[in-house]
Amino acid sequence: MRRTSDAPPRDTAGTEAYPTSSHWGAYEVLVENGRVVGTRPDPGDPDPSPLIGNTPAAQHHPTRVARPAVRRRWLDNGPGPDPERGAPGDTYVEVDWDTAAELVAAELKRVHREHGGEAVFGGSYGWGSAGRFHHSQSQLHRFLNTAGGYTRSRATYSHAAVEVLFPHLVGPPGAHALLERAPTWEAIAEHTDLIVSFGGLRLSNTWISSGGRAAHTAAAGMREAAARGLRTVSVSPLKDDTIEEMGAEWLPAAPGTDTAVMLALTNVLIEEGLADRAFLDRYTVGADVVRRYATGETDGVAKTPEWAETICELPADTLRSLARRMAAGRTLVNVGWSVQRTQYGEQPLWAGLALAACLGQIGLPGGGFATGYGSMGRYGGGATPGGLPRFPKGANPVDRHIPVAHTSEMLLHPGEEFDFDGERLTYPDIRLVAWSGGNPFHHHQDLSRLTRAFGRPDTVLVVETHWTATARHADIVLPSTTTLEREDMAASQGDLRLNVMRRAVAPYGEARDEFEIYRAVTARMGLEKEFTEGRTAQGWMRHMYELWRERQHDMFGADLPSYDAFREAGGVDLPGRVNDEAMAAFAEFREDPVAHPLQTPSGRIELFSATIAGFGYADCPGYPIWLPAEERLGSARARRWPLLLLANQPKGRLHSQQDMGAYSASLKVDGRAPVRMHPDDAAARGLADGDLVRVHNDRGSLLAGVRVSADLRPGVAQLSTGAWYDPSSTEVTCAHGNPNVLTGVAGTSRLAQGSTGQHVLVEIEAYRGDPPPVTAFTPPVPVPPSS
């Protein structure tokens, strides 16, 4: 039963239960004598995530940052580039909060005075908290805007190609619809005959949603759809990318060849007269360009199934049969985010849209094109058109930006020009990096290069809960509270309910809420009133809720409870939620493309984009084509590094969060990240389950533990991201198993400049001798100022 009072309920003798929310869902924490001793699922969650089991160990872990700490070399020498930043054994000096706030305020003022706001990089990535008020990215960006502005990042590591490409192809609202208004699993169960998913439908990814999910419904939706006759084809190198109950047909295409598969399917539709010519003529531009390329008129190479077979290693007859089945009923083409996190990642997205357009079902319930099923929990779970409460960031007076995947290049190459989405931009000269709510030493590629990049600014400020690798590369580290140490409210897009988050335990050490940290700094800059607007944290939450409450009344006539009543009840159901076949993206456009045109130059779906063609990018021309990536089986590079490593999202945690937790630790091999290998590949290298191995290429090396599995195709290994970066050993780049010591920094193309960290070629060999210990969870020991 949901609690309806701010007073914590007594569970058993001495145990109190507090409801909270995270990006992996709503749950309750059990507290005894001021310590978190356990967790249990929220009563309203039908399929809770096992990630809640990581919380107790993470909450009180020795890696928590207890007090403000300043790097000794920075404190002694003052601001300036330092190649020793982040070196093992770096010494930190603990200071009081007044001193820390004064140091940050003085350095911000110096950088703005001497170099301008563009010399400040606001690096928050936004995953620090599920709370609507204590949202790290919003807090940091409001602080930096108040202080005079900053250079910002654009797009995401997750799906930059989606974010940049689709506004050109279907217009900005259409791109938003693809990301936020995908058909529900109920609509799929009702209307869809076949779903063909490139990149699978990985269940563990559906545990995660920005802001959390009060109820995880993806697994039940998949099972119900399969029970009602939905057939599934999973084009993926991993067999277990779909749950067994879906009975998916597994097509283990060579990684990075999805575009070739889609072009072959399109070729069959065109050559056998199965393409919906009427749809293409009415709703698209550029269909003839796609047709000429697919049939070989453009370059003399017909993209037949036989042509694709030599690339993707799937039988031509299998591809031809699949194309015919797709045309025979209602089909949904899904391209997962993992597929576009590779070189030329825009191409499978564009080819997938063209394939769906040839089927003529875009805008129909349960049919057409989607990107995101199996990538995040909000897909297939409905939509909340009324929005959610938000903490306003304010206006940024600095108009400078970079694609987020270019963070290291920006720091290393100030003044250098680069292309991005039709613009010719210049990297700013960053002197101060301010980071909160993310861990670039998890997200970013080529961590050795990122380490060099972090040595270049004058100052690195990190606001963190734990001594992550990013905190260990900072000059000033300010301890922030966790979600369990403060009050908030949480929900995600498409969620069922806005939940109250209760403070369960006291702050660790001298940790403070980010709002209070930035308030103290702005006070020393004479900007406290501008930052707080005269409100306390509780006052801001009340203000945010009441504004949202008024908006829901105006939009839906909803009579929601007051803020005090909302807190007393523990939450409120979200009004105006859409969860039916009206979720079909582009339904109005399909009904009348003249009355409801897309916001593209043509008003239609742009299978050929004159805009993109005009950019002149050889790595992303004006229509979908096959471009063979460098990090691919069969490439010249593969002759030296013969295994294709998939660096996908982890099952045991969200990104790198709470990696020390019980559930995350249970999946490791003797305390190191697990690398899955096909039995044939393991046997060829004399390896067995549980062996310690060195995974390496010309960029770096790591240690991992082998897990032998037939659930991935030969030639492919899988090592998920998220193991805390551990560069403590001279023998390997990471002793713990972070795959981003191996990945390159090249962008998807000059259009989106997205992350390409999903695929990387490597070799794997047994590690001989005594391995170096894992020290990622051994924090630095700060010394007092007098030392």
Side-chain angles (χ1 to χ4, degrees):
M1 180 178 294
R2 293 189 182 276
R3 183 156 60 86
T4 59
S5 170
D6 280 350
R10 294 288 175 176
D11 193 63
T12 57
T15 303
E16 297 172 336
Y18 294 84
T20 191
S21 291
S22 66
H23 296 298
W24 48 93
Y27 62 102
E28 295 179 349
V29 290
L30 306 180
V31 177
E32 291 181 6
N33 299 319
R35 290 185 65 85
V36 176
V37 296
T39 59
R40 66 186 181 195
D42 183 278
D45 192 345
D47 189 26
S49 165
L51 270 62
I52 65 175
N54 288 327
T55 299
Q59 176 62 30
H60 306 289
H61 197 265
T63 53
R64 285 295 303 272
V65 183
R67 283 167 286 281
V70 184
R71 193 165 154 267
R72 167 72 78 181
R73 288 172 60 90
W74 188 93
L75 199 59
D76 291 345
N77 303 325
D82 188 349
E84 296 299 312
R85 191 175 281 133
D90 229 348
T91 303
Y92 286 84
V93 178
E94 290 184 336
V95 299
D96 59 58
W97 270 108
D98 286 341
T99 300
E102 194 62 49
L103 287 172
V104 174
E107 181 61 357
L108 259 176
K109 287 191 288 186
R110 182 192 72 84
V111 171
H112 275 279
R113 181 177 64 253
E114 297 180 5
H115 305 285
E118 67 178 31
V120 177
F121 182 59
S124 176
Y125 196 57
W127 282 103
S129 168
R132 304 304 304 170
F133 173 67
H134 294 290
H135 179 248
S136 296
Q137 187 182 72
S138 297
Q139 291 282 345
L140 177 66
H141 289 176
R142 181 180 177 87
F143 163 63
L144 294 178
N145 285 335
T146 303
Y150 64 100
T151 292
R152 70 191 191 279
S153 63
R154 277 189 52 193
T156 64
Y157 291 102
S158 296
H159 50 59
V162 176
E163 296 171 81
V164 177
L165 174 66
F166 278 109
H168 291 291
L169 307 188
V170 295
H176 179 79
L178 286 173
L179 286 170
E180 303 294 348
R181 292 182 61 85
T184 64
W185 280 107
E186 291 90 340
I188 291 172
E190 176 70 21
H191 300 284
T192 308
D193 299 308
L194 174 66
I195 180 170
V196 180
S197 185
F198 294 85
L201 296 165
R202 197 163 189 81
L203 179 62
S204 59
N205 290 342
T206 71
W207 297 338
I208 306 300
S209 189
S210 180
R213 299 265 325 159
H216 289 92
T217 57
M222 292 179 195
R223 295 186 185 105
E224 174 63 18
R228 294 178 62 176
L230 175 71
R231 291 168 291 126
T232 302
V233 174
S234 175
V235 184
S236 169
L238 305 178
K239 183 178 182 181
D240 55 2
D241 255 0
T242 57
I243 58 175
E244 291 186 7
E245 293 92 325
M246 295 197 78
E249 177 185 351
W250 181 34
L251 299 185
T257 64
D258 304 270
T259 301
V261 173
M262 296 174 197
L263 289 169
L265 297 172
T266 300
N267 172 278
V268 174
L269 296 178
I270 293 170
E271 294 289 12
E272 297 189 5
L274 300 174
D276 190 331
R277 191 75 227 184
F279 179 90
L280 293 170
D281 290 343
R282 188 180 189 198
Y283 297 100
T284 77
V285 295
D288 283 343
V289 176
V290 172
R291 178 190 59 78
R292 289 193 295 270
Y293 180 71
T295 58
E297 292 180 31
T298 302
D299 58 4
V301 179
K303 312 308 179 295
T304 63
E306 288 75 19
W307 165 83
E309 181 177 0
T310 64
I311 298 170
C312 68
E313 301 177 12
L314 296 176
D317 288 345
T318 298
L319 298 178
R320 187 167 281 105
S321 172
L322 176 59
R324 293 166 180 167
R325 284 185 286 154
M326 294 173 73
R330 184 67 56 83
T331 298
L332 179 62
V333 177
N334 177 62
V335 181
W337 295 350
S338 60
V339 172
Q340 54 94 69
R341 288 196 294 268
T342 62
Q343 188 180 17
Y344 313 127
E346 295 87 353
Q347 299 309 311
L349 293 167
W350 208 338
L353 181 66
L355 174 61
C358 286
L359 293 170
Q361 298 174 12
I362 294 173
L364 296 178
F369 176 82
T371 175
Y373 289 99
S375 299
M376 186 174 280
R378 70 174 182 260
Y379 279 88
T384 48
L388 298 167
R390 293 186 180 277
F391 181 59
K393 300 179 183 181
N396 187 352
V398 174
D399 186 21
R400 293 294 294 272
H401 62 267
I402 63 158
V404 69
H406 275 228
T407 298
S408 61
E409 304 314 286
M410 170 191 68
L411 296 176
L412 288 169
H413 302 294
E416 186 174 298
E417 293 185 338
F418 66 99
D419 291 303
F420 176 54
D421 196 15
E423 296 182 289
R424 188 70 173 168
L425 302 175
T426 303
Y427 292 126
D429 186 1
I430 298 299
R431 299 305 181 102
L432 187 151
V433 172
W435 212 290
S436 176
N439 182 7
F441 283 87
H442 154 74
H443 279 106
H444 209 69
Q445 286 68 65
D446 197 342
L447 297 185
S448 295
R449 189 176 183 84
L450 184 64
T451 296
R452 294 195 299 275
F454 261 61
R456 194 194 167 279
D458 292 347
T459 301
V460 176
L461 164 68
V462 170
V463 180
E464 252 295 1
T465 58
H466 291 73
W467 281 103
T468 63
T470 303
R472 297 183 198 215
H473 284 77
D475 299 304
I476 303 174
V477 182
L478 303 181
S480 63
T481 52
T482 68
T483 57
L484 304 185
E485 297 165 352
R486 57 204 186 195
E487 302 285 332
D488 213 328
M489 50 189 162
S492 68
Q493 288 295 328
D495 213 341
L496 304 173
R497 186 173 173 83
L498 178 68
N499 278 329
V500 170
M501 300 168 65
R502 311 287 187 192
R503 173 170 160 165
V505 293
Y508 181 87
E510 297 178 14
R512 292 183 176 180
D513 298 347
E514 286 149 296
F515 178 78
E516 176 57 29
I517 292 172
Y518 302 138
R519 184 208 62 75
V521 176
T522 53
R524 284 159 177 80
M525 300 177 74
L527 298 169
E528 179 180 5
K529 183 177 180 181
E530 288 81 353
F531 178 72
T532 67
E533 296 185 16
R535 298 186 183 93
T536 63
Q538 195 61 241
W540 264 109
M541 283 184 272
R542 181 184 297 275
H543 177 70
M544 290 162 56
Y545 177 86
E546 292 295 348
L547 286 179
W548 173 78
R549 178 188 176 211
E550 292 176 10
R551 188 165 65 249
Q552 306 311 297
H553 183 272
D554 292 343
M555 293 181 68
F556 309 115
D559 187 16
L560 300 182
S562 68
Y563 179 71
D564 291 330
F566 158 71
R567 286 195 53 81
E568 179 69 17
V572 63
D573 291 341
L574 294 172
R577 188 169 178 274
V578 180
N579 192 37
D580 56 25
E581 63 184 52
M583 290 288 294
F586 311 110
E588 290 184 339
F589 167 69
R590 184 186 182 96
E591 181 180 351
D592 191 337
V594 176
H596 303 285
L598 302 180
Q599 290 185 20
T600 60
S602 65
R604 295 185 281 175
I605 299 169
E606 304 226 335
L607 302 184
F608 170 81
S609 169
T611 300
I612 294 176
F615 296 157
Y617 299 154
D619 55 3
C620 188
Y623 58 95
I625 68 171
W626 163 245
L627 293 169
E630 185 179 13
E631 303 282 349
R632 180 179 60 89
L633 295 174
S635 70
R637 182 173 169 80
R639 288 196 288 270
R640 183 178 180 189
W641 313 108
L643 293 174
L644 194 287
L645 184 72
L646 300 178
N648 63 350
Q649 294 301 310
K651 178 182 179 182
R653 60 199 162 264
L654 165 59
H655 299 316
S656 63
Q657 287 188 38
Q658 302 188 345
D659 186 26
M660 72 291 289
Y663 183 65
S664 179
S666 72
L667 302 178
K668 297 187 179 185
V669 181
D670 292 332
R672 302 180 204 267
V675 56
R676 289 208 301 175
M677 301 180 68
H678 189 273
D680 293 349
D681 296 322
R685 291 161 177 78
L687 300 174
D689 200 82
D691 282 354
L692 181 65
V693 293
R694 177 174 174 263
V695 185
H696 62 103
N697 62 15
D698 51 344
R699 299 187 188 100
S701 60
L702 59 85
L703 296 183
V706 171
R707 286 287 180 246
V708 177
S709 173
D711 282 339
L712 67 171
R713 57 162 284 154
V716 170
Q718 177 202 352
L719 176 60
S720 296
T721 60
W724 275 27
Y725 179 44
D726 187 354
S728 60
S729 170
T730 57
E731 301 175 54
V732 289
T733 315
C734 179
H736 192 200
N738 188 319
N740 274 327
V741 302
L742 309 170
T743 54
V745 296
T748 52
S749 79
R750 288 191 289 167
L751 180 74
Q753 296 286 9
S755 166
T756 56
Q758 184 79 11
H759 293 174
V760 59
L761 289 166
V762 302
E763 180 57 286
I764 300 178
E765 61 189 15
Y767 184 85
R768 308 298 182 189
D770 296 327
V774 174
T775 64
F777 302 126
T778 303
V781 180
V783 297
S786 59
S787 298

